Amino acid sequence: MAGSLRTRGKFRLGAAFLALSLLLTACLPGPPEPPPPSPTGSPQPTTSGQSADTTVHFTAQGDIGVGSGAKKVLDVVAGLKPQLNLALGDFSYEAGIEQQFCDMVTGKLGTDFPYQLVTGNHESDGHEGDIENFVRCLPNKLPGLQGEYGTQWYADVPEKNPVVRFILVSPGIDFRNGPLDYSRDSDRWRWTTDAIDGARAENIPWTVVGMHVPCFSLGRYDCQAGEEFTNMLIDKKVDLVLSGHDHVYQRSHQLATGTSCRGLVPASFSANCLADVDSSTVQGAGTVFATIGVGGVGLYDIKSKDPEMGYFAKWSGRNQNPAMGTLDVNATSSDLSARFVPAEGYSLTDSFRIQRK
């Protein structure tokens, strides 16, 4: 009988220890949750100095105006809630109403929002607005900006452990004293190449160049940005080049120079200059160009027989799937994904992605 009691006592003591162990296990924290996916569904590994969840979210468009189209596009930007917007030139299209334009922007996006400017041809020489007035009423909001805001500047975002270096320049633009010199080995050429090379040296994951005029286009204009300057951006393997001026949306394949493509020539096409024709590309293979001259004013036609069409993956104009809207971009340390978001009443869609090796 005593042995039976001892056995039952050991059983009860063991059961008590088991219950206590299960209770303590339930109170311990579980394994950490996996990091959230990137906008395209891939994980976001870290690189030196960058947090796994650091994302730079920005929008970009040019050729805006003060009409209903501009307000619809600003509504899209407001709904997307980016950290900053790149306004790629041609703002009010009328002298003397710069403050009206600025009030329209701040009324939609707020007075503290970084609505970052680079001049277009309509305000560079004052004939349909003055870039100096726009700079006063929509001043720079990015810390650490280098250069002359509104004309030629760069900024790293975030300022500490940056993910993107934005470089905004003004080739092919007439100012009051004539065009700025972006010819090979000029001061402004060297400033631009130094800004690109500096981003590489500082291990900043992405380099984005913005300017008002493109070189290659399916719309009205020829290579106002300059053939040599444009090929330099490709040689340097800038990840993404953004522009306006032509009132169309167009996005190129990934373009590259090399042994089989010494340089892209305007008004012609060479398949040897195509690095990748997918919507998903790898960083370092080439450069993607996007023109987003659809920020609010009237659209231009697409020239369907333009020889440069072979360089482009997507296009839209007045005569082909017309749309106003904005480019919406998310960049992490490992991935840059972009999409076109149309304004109300339009249906154009486009998306592409660049991944780091």
Side-chain angles (χ1 to χ4, degrees):
M1 183 69 174
S4 177
L5 289 173
R6 283 195 297 271
T7 301
R8 287 198 297 271
K10 290 178 181 178
F11 175 78
R12 288 172 184 151
L13 185 59
F17 275 118
L18 177 60
L20 180 59
S21 175
L22 291 172
L23 179 62
L24 290 173
T25 300
C27 294
L28 290 173
E33 291 292 322
S38 72
T40 52
S42 298
Q44 302 172 17
T46 60
T47 59
S48 178
Q50 283 129 15
S51 169
D53 58 358
T54 300
T55 299
V56 174
H57 179 199
F58 67 95
T59 49
Q61 70 296 127
D63 308 274
I64 299 157
V66 293
S68 60
K71 293 169 186 175
K72 286 182 179 181
V73 174
L74 286 171
D75 285 337
V76 173
V77 174
L80 292 170
K81 295 181 171 58
Q83 294 161 247
L84 69 141
N85 182 83
L86 300 178
L88 300 167
D90 285 3
F91 305 133
S92 65
Y93 286 86
E94 183 179 341
I97 64 168
E98 294 92 336
Q99 189 63 54
Q100 178 184 338
F101 178 88
C102 296
D103 290 343
M104 177 186 71
V105 170
T106 56
K108 295 286 188 180
L109 303 178
T111 56
D112 295 328
F113 178 77
Y115 189 82
Q116 300 295 121
L117 307 178
V118 68
T119 188
N121 57 290
H122 281 275
E123 56 273 341
S124 58
D125 62 3
H127 74 285
E128 287 186 320
D130 191 323
I131 186 58
E132 294 180 4
N133 292 335
F134 288 112
V135 164
R136 278 194 288 270
C137 59
L138 288 170
N140 167 54
K141 298 293 176 62
L142 296 180
L145 181 141
Q146 302 292 315
E148 182 185 355
Y149 178 63
T151 302
Q152 177 178 284
W153 57 271
Y154 76 81
D156 299 336
V157 180
E159 185 181 19
K160 183 179 180 181
N161 299 324
V163 173
V164 182
R165 172 165 288 184
F166 295 100
I167 305 170
L168 281 295
V169 290
S170 296
I173 297 289
D174 284 328
F175 288 80
R176 286 185 172 88
N177 296 321
L180 304 181
D181 184 6
Y182 282 90
S183 63
R184 179 179 293 276
D185 294 329
S186 66
D187 289 343
R188 292 182 183 275
W189 172 291
R190 287 194 297 271
W191 184 95
T192 306
T193 58
D194 287 349
I196 297 168
D197 293 343
R200 299 280 189 264
E202 295 173 35
N203 198 31
I204 298 173
W206 303 103
T207 304
V208 175
V209 170
M211 52 191 181
H212 180 60
V213 297
C215 179
F216 302 97
S217 184
L218 304 178
R220 286 187 182 179
Y221 298 113
D222 56 12
C223 183
Q224 295 185 18
E227 180 180 341
E228 279 196 314
F229 188 82
T230 302
N231 278 305
M232 178 271 289
L233 299 177
I234 300 173
D235 291 343
K236 292 285 184 182
K237 293 183 169 55
V238 169
D239 298 302
L240 180 61
V241 178
L242 305 174
S243 62
H245 192 50
D246 242 334
H247 298 185
V248 300
Y249 173 76
Q250 56 185 20
R251 188 259 302 177
S252 78
H253 298 298
Q254 197 176 37
L255 308 179
T257 55
T259 304
S260 59
C261 174
R262 294 297 184 184
L264 278 74
V265 178
S268 65
F269 170 70
S270 172
N272 293 329
C273 300
L274 298 175
D276 197 323
V277 297
D278 294 340
S279 294
S280 182
T281 59
V282 176
Q283 187 186 51
T287 300
V288 175
F289 291 79
T291 297
I292 320 104
V294 291
V297 298
L299 303 175
Y300 295 162
D301 286 344
I302 293 290
K303 295 178 181 177
S304 57
K305 295 183 179 180
D306 193 312
E308 296 171 356
M309 186 163 280
Y311 291 130
F312 290 93
K314 191 80 171 186
W315 54 83
S316 163
R318 181 173 54 191
N319 60 337
Q320 294 188 32
N321 198 9
M324 294 180 184
T326 186
L327 194 68
D328 180 43
V329 185
N330 283 276
T332 70
S333 60
S334 61
D335 183 280
L336 185 149
S337 57
R339 59 179 181 143
F340 180 81
V341 183
E344 181 184 359
Y346 301 100
S347 59
L348 176 72
T349 59
D350 183 36
S351 64
F352 62 96
R353 179 187 186 191
I354 308 171
Q355 292 178 285
R356 295 187 82 201
K357 296 178 182 178

